[in-house]
Amino acid sequence: MKFYAVVATSPTSWESHKIAERIEQRILNSNPVMEAFGNACTLRNSNSSRFGKFIQLQLNSAQQMTGAAVQTYLLEKTRVSSQASSERNFHIFYQICKGASEDERVRWHLPKGAAFSWLPNLDRTLEEDCFEVTREAMLHLGINTSTQNNIFQVLAGLLHLGNILFADSEDEAQTCRLMDSDKCPIRTSALLLQLPEDTLLETLRIRTIRAGRQRQVFQKPCSRAECDTRRDCLAKLVYSRLFDWLVSVINSSICADPDSWTTFIGLLDVYGFESFPHNSLEQLCINYTNEKLQQHFVAHYLRAQQEEYALEGLEWSFVNYRDNQTCLDLIEGSPISICSLINEECRLNRPSSAAQLQTRIESALAGSPCLGHDKLSREPSFIVMHYAGPVRYHTAGLVEKNKDSVPPELNKLLQQSQDLLLRVLFPPDPEEKTQEEPSGQGRAPALTVVSKFKASLEQLLQVLHSTTPHYIRCIKPNSQGQAQTFLQEEVLSQLEACGLVETIHISAAGFPIRISHQNFVERYGLLRRLCPRTSSGLHSPDPAKGRSEQTPQAESAMLLSLLQDILHILPALTQMAATAVQPADAMAASVHCGKTKVFMTNSVLELLEHRRVQVLEQCARCIQRGWKRHQHRKQERQRQAAVRIQAAARSWLTRKHIQRLHKAATIIKHAWRQWRMRMAFLVSEELDGVEEKYLAVAPPSRSVSLLHPEQPKLQGAIVRFWPLGLVLANACVGVHGLQRKLVVCACLQLPRGSPRGYTIQTAQDQAGVTSIRALPQGPIKFHCKKSPLRHADICPEPRPCHVTGFNQILLDRHRP
C-alpha cells in the first residue's frame, strides 16, 4: 500500500499535492486500525487476519491516486466471546488493558491486574499491542479523541459483560441467578454501556416469545446455557456493528467521488487455508473461499499458459491436471450440497442436533469422492477432502452459527442506551410496527451467514474476473517467530495450503521452463564447443560483438542461426543421457522452440546445465594450464634475472674489495719501503761510526798471528765493503766455516782478540744469524735506535730467520 500510495501520487499543483498526501496518509493509517480491530493471535500466526479485506486504490485518468475504498468479508465475531486454547482475543482489547493511562483505567474500570474471562493470555506481550499507534491512526482518519474514548469505553463494557456468570435456578419457572452476589460485573457493564441495570439483567435471563396470529407476547425464563448464549450474542452484536461502523468511517474519509476515478488497483487480503483441532462454520467458509480462489488461480494460470503457447506457435494443451470442481460441488453444488443442507436445517425452524445433521450430510452426499467420515470420532463430524488436505468439521453449533439470529429484545435493549456511539450503531427502527403485521407464512426467509457470505464471494469473484490478477504467497518458516529456524514440515503444509504444490503439478504437465532466445544463446552458446568445427558456422561469432554496427534484422538472423546450432546439438546430448526410464525420443520431444522463447522440461534443463558445467570445467582447466605456464615462465625469467643481478653485484663487490686490498697493499708496501730504507740508513750510520772509532784507538790483537795468512786482506775488504759482508753473512751459500765467522766478526766490529769471550751462533740449516750472546767475562753493548714506525719493534710470530738477543736487530734478508 505504501509503494502504491507513493508511486501513484504525481500532483501538478500544491493543492493537489496536499490532497494526495492526505489521501496517502489516511490509506496508510487505515491498516493499523483494521488490524487492531480485526486481527488476533492464533496458533500459527501472532497477527492473523480474522476477516477478509479488499482495498481499492482509486486512480483517475492521469493515473493519480484520488481515493480508496475498503470492503470486508466475514468477521470472526465469535472470537469476542470464545477463544481456542493458546489463542487470544482481538488486539484492541489487549491494547486498552496495557496502554490505558491511570485516568482512563479509572473511567473504564480497568484496574491493573484485573482478570477477564474473555481476555486469555493477557501476560503475553506482542509487538501488535501498541495502543498509541492505534489512537494516532484513528486521529488521522478523522476520529477525534472523545469518539475514541467512547469506543474504548464500550469495549471495556464488553469485557465486563464477559465476567457475568449465571447459575441454574432450582425452579425452571424462576430465572437463573447470578454467581456473584454483589452484582459487580453486571453493574459495571451497564454503567459503561449506559444501559439500565435491571433491564440488562432481565433481557439476558428472560426470553420474549410471540405466537399466534394475534402475535401474543410470552416471557419465558432462560436456562443457564441460553443466558450464556444471549450474553455472548449481545457482545458479538455490539462488536460487529462497531467494526462495520469503523469501516464506514474509513471509507468516508478516503473514498473519492465515483466520477473522479476510472481505474483501480485492488489489494485482496483473505484468510488462508485453516485446519484446527476443532473446525466449525468459520473454517468451512474460509476454506470454501480458498477453494474458489484456487479454482480462479488455476483457471487464470492455465488460460495464461495456453495463451502463451498459442502466441509462441506451440500446439499444446493441458490434459492431465487435477481440478477442485468436485470439492466445490460438494460444498456449494445444486441442488444438494453441504451449504444447502445447513441452510435447510435453519429454515425448518426446529431443534437440530449435531448427530442428525451429520447423518443427513452423509446420506445425501455419500456419492461424493471428497466427503469422508471418521468412524473413530465420538463427536459428530464430517470430513471434506480439500485441495490442501482433509479437514474435519464438527457439526455441533453449526446450525446456530449459520442462523446468526439476534433476539429482537437485544436490539431494543441497545436502542435504549444513552451512549452516543451505541445510539449511532443501533438507531431506532421506524418500520418495526409494519414488520410485525405480516404472518409467519408471508415473511421472507432470513438470510443465513452462508448465504450472505456466498453472495459477497460471488461479487468478489466477478471483480477478480474483470481484472488482471497477480498472486502473492506468504510463507512462514516457523510458527514460533524464531530467527534462523526453518521447519520443513510446516513450510510444506503452507505450500500445500496456498495451492503452490498443486500449481507445480499442473505446471509440470506442460513446459515449466521458458527462456528467451537471447538468454538461451548467451547461457548455452558455449555448448557448441562439444561438437567439432564445421563450415556451417557452428562457431560463428558472438552476436554481442559488434552489435552496434549491425541492424536489428541482422542481429535477429544471427541469433536464430546460433539458436539452431545449439538445438542441433541437443539430439546428441539426449542420446548420451538417455536412460531406460526416459528414452531419447521423450527427451527430444521435451524441447520446443517458439517465436521468442525456448520451451523445455526440467529434465532437459538439467541436461543442459550439466553439459554447460562440463564445458566450463574444460575451459577452467585450459585457463589454469595457461596461467600456470605463464606463472612458471615468469618465475623462471625472474630467477634468471635475479641470478644476473646477484652475479653483477658480487663481481662489483669483489672488484671493490680487491681495489681496497690493492690500495691498502700499496700503502703498506710504500710504508714498508720507507721504513726499510730508514732502518738501513740508521744501521749504516751506526756501523760506520763504530768502525771509525775501532780503527782509530784499538791496539793490535794477539789473535792476529793466529789468523790465516789471507785474513788481513779479507778484513780490509770487509771493512771497505761491509754491506757485502752483511749479505754474505746472511746468505745460505757462499761462505762457510771460518770465513763466515770472520765476515760476521768484521761486520759486527767484534774485538780481534781471542773469541773466548763471546760465542756466535749461526743457523747452519737456515739463512741468517740466529743470535749473538756475550759471555759473562766481557759484556757487549749494542746500540740501536728505535724504529719511528709504531709497533715496528714487535714481532708477532718468531721465525727462524729472525735475529734475537738482548735487543732486536732488524736485518734485511736477501737471497743471492
Side-chain angles (χ1 to χ4, degrees):
M1 291 176 62
K2 186 177 298 184
F3 172 77
Y4 286 135
V6 173
V7 172
T9 53
S10 301
T12 57
S13 62
W14 177 250
E15 294 182 359
S16 59
H17 179 69
K18 294 175 62 176
I19 295 174
E21 283 188 348
R22 179 178 58 84
I23 295 174
E24 173 189 347
Q25 190 63 34
R26 290 187 176 181
I27 291 174
L28 298 179
N29 283 297
S30 66
N31 194 51
V33 176
M34 300 294 288
E35 286 188 354
F37 285 86
N39 289 20
C41 176
T42 61
L43 293 175
R44 297 182 179 178
N45 192 352
S46 61
N47 192 26
S48 177
S49 178
R50 308 316 300 164
F51 68 102
K53 178 173 60 178
F54 181 67
I55 302 177
Q56 282 186 345
L57 303 179
Q58 300 164 349
L59 309 176
N60 57 14
S61 57
Q63 302 303 316
Q64 298 177 359
M65 183 178 296
T66 60
V70 180
Q71 185 178 358
T72 60
Y73 305 95
L74 189 65
L75 174 68
E76 190 186 13
K77 55 187 177 182
T78 56
R79 184 170 291 272
V80 176
S81 58
S82 176
Q83 304 85 26
S85 178
S86 301
E87 292 191 357
R88 302 205 318 175
N89 209 324
F90 291 104
H91 292 323
I92 188 61
F93 292 105
Y94 298 90
Q95 293 179 6
I96 294 174
C97 293
K98 295 180 180 181
S101 62
E102 294 297 333
D103 296 338
E104 292 171 343
R105 289 181 182 276
V106 173
R107 291 200 308 267
W108 302 336
H109 297 272
L110 297 175
K112 290 185 177 180
F116 298 97
S117 59
W118 287 354
L119 212 61
N121 302 316
L122 184 59
D123 55 342
R124 182 179 179 183
T125 303
L126 301 176
E127 62 181 42
E128 288 80 15
D129 300 340
C130 301
F131 191 44
E132 294 300 327
V133 174
T134 303
R135 301 197 70 161
E136 184 178 358
M138 295 175 73
L139 281 175
H140 286 290
L141 292 175
I143 304 175
N144 54 31
T145 305
S146 61
T147 306
Q148 292 182 26
N149 293 332
N150 201 352
I151 293 173
F152 302 140
Q153 178 179 332
V154 171
L155 294 177
L158 296 184
L159 290 178
H160 287 282
L161 185 65
N163 286 345
I164 301 175
L165 301 178
F166 297 95
D168 293 328
S169 62
E170 299 178 358
D171 188 3
E172 294 183 357
Q174 299 296 327
T175 59
C176 295
R177 57 184 179 86
L178 295 176
M179 294 288 292
D180 299 329
S181 58
D182 56 354
K183 300 182 181 181
C184 182
I186 189 71
R187 185 180 303 111
T188 305
S189 179
L191 178 63
L192 293 175
L193 298 177
Q194 297 189 19
L195 294 172
E197 180 181 349
D198 297 336
T199 306
L200 174 61
L201 185 59
E202 180 182 355
T203 305
L204 295 179
R205 295 190 298 180
I206 298 177
R207 181 177 59 175
T208 302
I209 302 175
R210 297 180 182 273
R213 294 182 179 179
Q214 303 298 327
R215 306 295 295 170
Q216 297 181 357
V217 179
F218 300 93
Q219 291 185 347
K220 179 183 177 181
C222 299
S223 62
R224 176 185 175 183
E226 291 176 345
C227 291
D228 293 341
T229 302
R230 293 170 74 87
R231 177 202 60 196
D232 297 347
C233 183
L234 178 63
K236 292 186 291 185
L237 177 62
V238 173
Y239 194 83
S240 62
R241 290 285 183 92
L242 176 61
F243 185 81
D244 294 339
W245 177 80
L246 281 175
V247 174
S248 64
V249 170
I250 292 174
N251 284 330
S252 62
S253 62
I254 64 177
C255 189
D257 187 24
D259 298 333
S260 63
W261 61 276
T262 56
T263 58
F264 70 90
I265 298 175
L267 305 175
L268 178 62
D269 180 15
V270 296
Y271 4 68
F273 190 85
E274 293 186 352
S275 179
F276 299 114
H278 184 84
N279 301 287
S280 188
L281 183 65
E282 293 84 4
Q283 282 70 40
L284 179 62
C285 294
I286 288 173
N287 294 338
Y288 166 55
T289 304
N290 282 273
E291 288 284 353
K292 296 289 287 185
L293 294 178
Q294 176 68 12
Q295 187 187 42
H296 175 266
F297 171 70
V298 170
H300 170 73
Y301 178 77
L302 294 180
R303 182 171 62 254
Q305 300 302 308
Q306 202 68 46
E307 290 177 356
E308 185 176 6
Y309 291 160
L311 290 176
E312 294 291 334
L314 271 69
E315 296 181 359
W316 183 268
S317 61
F318 289 92
V319 179
N320 298 323
Y321 70 93
R322 296 174 57 185
D323 190 8
N324 62 340
Q325 185 59 44
T326 305
C327 183
L328 287 174
D329 293 339
L330 173 65
I331 298 175
E332 64 168 3
S334 180
I336 301 177
S337 62
I338 294 177
C339 292
S340 63
L341 292 176
I342 295 175
N343 288 334
E344 185 177 351
E345 286 291 328
C346 296
R347 287 193 299 267
L348 291 177
N349 197 15
R350 65 178 183 183
S352 176
S353 64
Q356 183 179 359
L357 179 60
Q358 175 190 358
T359 303
R360 289 199 60 187
I361 291 176
E362 291 179 352
S363 60
L365 303 172
S368 176
C370 295
L371 181 66
H373 174 61
D374 187 5
K375 297 181 180 181
L376 300 179
S377 177
R378 297 182 179 180
E379 300 178 355
S381 60
F382 61 93
I383 298 177
V384 178
M385 305 295 178
H386 292 282
Y387 70 92
V391 179
R392 186 163 68 99
Y393 300 97
H394 295 80
T395 56
L398 205 62
V399 176
E400 287 74 14
K401 289 183 178 180
N402 188 37
K403 288 180 180 179
D404 194 24
S405 58
V406 178
E409 50 266 26
L410 293 182
N411 278 321
K412 292 182 180 180
L413 172 67
L414 294 173
Q415 289 173 1
Q416 298 176 12
S417 174
Q418 300 302 318
D419 186 81
L420 297 178
L421 178 62
L422 291 180
R423 293 177 69 88
V424 173
L425 298 180
F426 300 93
D429 190 1
E431 300 179 358
E432 181 181 357
K433 296 181 180 180
T434 59
Q435 291 179 356
E436 295 179 358
E437 294 178 357
S439 61
Q441 292 79 6
R443 287 183 300 173
L447 291 176
T448 61
V449 173
V450 171
S451 300
K452 291 188 288 187
F453 183 76
K454 196 174 177 182
S456 61
L457 184 58
E458 291 296 334
Q459 294 178 359
L460 175 63
L461 289 175
Q462 289 179 4
V463 175
L464 295 181
H465 285 301
S466 62
T467 58
T468 302
H470 301 273
Y471 295 87
I472 301 173
R473 308 298 190 186
C474 300
I475 306 297
K476 295 182 61 178
N478 60 83
S479 57
Q480 291 78 23
Q482 298 178 356
Q484 305 297 330
T485 303
F486 187 90
L487 302 179
Q488 183 176 356
E489 295 181 357
E490 292 189 9
V491 173
L492 181 59
S493 63
Q494 294 178 71
L495 293 176
E496 293 176 348
C498 64
L500 285 183
V501 176
E502 191 71 18
T503 307
I504 291 172
H505 290 317
I506 296 174
S507 177
F511 299 98
I513 310 300
R514 298 109 190 238
I515 307 176
S516 64
H517 290 173
Q518 182 67 34
N519 294 336
F520 187 83
V521 170
E522 290 178 356
R523 184 166 184 82
Y524 302 109
L526 48 84
L527 294 180
R528 294 175 295 159
R529 295 175 176 267
L530 297 176
C531 291
R533 296 176 180 267
T534 60
S535 60
S536 59
L538 284 176
H539 294 268
S540 54
D542 191 352
K545 298 179 180 179
R547 181 175 299 173
S548 59
E549 300 177 359
Q550 297 179 356
T551 61
Q553 292 78 9
E555 291 182 6
S556 178
M558 180 179 293
L559 188 64
L560 290 176
S561 176
L562 295 174
L563 182 62
Q564 293 300 327
D565 294 342
I566 300 173
L567 294 178
H568 286 326
I569 304 173
L570 283 178
L573 299 180
T574 54
Q575 191 68 30
M576 296 170 58
T579 59
V581 179
Q582 190 172 10
D585 296 339
M587 295 185 66
S590 301
V591 181
H592 290 277
C593 182
K595 296 179 180 179
T596 60
K597 297 180 181 180
V598 177
F599 296 80
M600 67 184 74
T601 59
N602 192 33
S603 59
V604 176
L605 178 65
E606 292 178 355
L607 174 63
L608 292 175
E609 289 294 328
H610 177 68
R611 295 299 182 184
R612 181 175 179 272
V613 170
Q614 289 182 348
V615 174
L616 290 178
E617 288 178 353
Q618 294 177 2
C619 297
R621 284 193 290 268
C622 293
I623 294 173
Q624 289 175 356
R625 287 195 297 266
W627 175 252
K628 289 179 180 179
R629 182 169 57 251
H630 167 71
Q631 288 291 100
H632 180 73
R633 291 177 177 176
K634 181 179 179 181
Q635 292 176 359
E636 183 64 23
R637 289 194 298 268
Q638 291 177 352
R639 189 187 66 81
Q640 294 177 1
V643 169
R644 295 192 188 98
I645 294 173
Q646 290 175 358
R650 288 172 180 172
S651 74
W652 181 80
L653 292 175
T654 304
R655 286 195 301 270
K656 296 295 290 184
H657 182 64
I658 292 174
Q659 289 175 1
R660 287 196 299 270
L661 291 178
H662 187 269
K663 185 177 181 180
T666 303
I667 295 173
I668 294 172
K669 183 178 178 181
H670 182 68
W672 165 253
R673 287 178 179 177
Q674 288 181 353
W675 175 80
R676 189 178 61 182
M677 293 173 64
R678 182 178 297 179
M679 290 298 102
F681 176 76
L682 294 175
V683 170
S684 64
E685 277 189 351
E686 186 172 356
L687 290 178
D688 290 344
V690 173
E691 180 184 0
E692 291 177 357
K693 181 179 181 181
Y694 177 77
L695 292 176
V697 300
S701 179
R702 298 180 180 179
S703 60
V704 176
S705 60
L706 298 177
L707 294 176
H708 194 273
E710 297 180 354
Q711 185 174 6
K713 298 180 179 181
L714 180 60
Q715 288 181 353
I718 290 172
V719 171
R720 295 183 180 91
F721 304 102
W722 65 264
L724 181 61
L726 288 177
V727 173
L728 293 175
N730 288 301
C732 295
V733 294
V735 180
H736 300 281
L738 180 62
Q739 294 181 359
R740 182 180 182 90
K741 292 181 179 181
L742 290 176
V743 170
V744 172
C745 290
C747 291
L748 297 178
Q749 299 293 325
L750 296 177
R752 299 182 179 181
S754 176
R756 295 177 182 179
Y758 57 86
T759 59
I760 299 176
Q761 297 179 1
T762 60
Q764 299 296 331
D765 299 333
Q766 299 178 0
V769 178
T770 303
S771 65
I772 301 175
R773 298 185 181 272
L775 296 177
Q777 293 82 2
I780 300 177
K781 295 182 180 180
F782 294 90
H783 177 72
C784 296
K785 293 183 179 181
K786 189 176 180 180
S787 174
L789 297 179
R790 188 180 183 184
H791 307 295
D793 298 334
I794 299 174
C795 181
E797 50 180 3
R799 295 183 182 178
C801 61
H802 293 170
V803 177
T804 60
F806 295 108
N807 291 320
Q808 293 182 358
I809 300 176
L810 302 178
L811 301 177
D812 190 11
R813 174 184 172 187
H814 296 278
R815 292 184 182 273

